[in-house]
Amino acid sequence: MFSITVRDHIMIAHSFRGEVFGPAQKLHGATFLVDATFRREQLDQDNIVVDIGLATQELRLITAELNYRNLDEEPEFAGVNTSTEFLAKVIADRLAERIHKGALGEGAKGLAGITVTLHESHIAWASYERGL
């Protein structure tokens, strides 16, 4: 399996509901490094996984939708604990939607899957992996 990874970051504010979250139940900020890894079994006709420039551009468009937002105030996240794992899935699903619409070009039709990893710090991160 071949893969490439592109990276961006987001800075968000949010709060959680539930005793398991302790002090994070209060409004707090988080900065995440966001890695999007694209996988395929065979390289395309240009011997690449996917156009890195297009992959970077599409990831940036998605992260821009979340960056500098208080997720507690976003209607689509009303009543949702926007955990690191949950946000990784949101970003992966948005990337998949763009891929299916052709935003990464014809070569992206051969992609097998993507993984989005959000790094909370240098010692903790979460990922979501999905097929395409």
Side-chain angles (χ1 to χ4, degrees), residues 84-114:
T84 306
E85 299 90 334
F86 175 83
L87 291 174
K89 182 180 185 316
V90 167
I91 294 169
D93 289 346
R94 290 180 182 184
L95 271 172
E97 182 179 323
R98 284 177 154 80
I99 291 166
H100 290 305
K101 289 181 177 178
L104 269 66
E106 283 296 309
K109 290 182 179 179
L111 289 171
I114 55 176

Side-chain angles (χ1 to χ4, degrees), residues 32-33 46 51 89 92 98-99 108 114 118:
F32 298 106
L33 282 177
D46 296 311
D51 183 316
K89 182 180 185 316
R98 284 177 154 80
I99 291 166
I114 55 176
L118 271 64

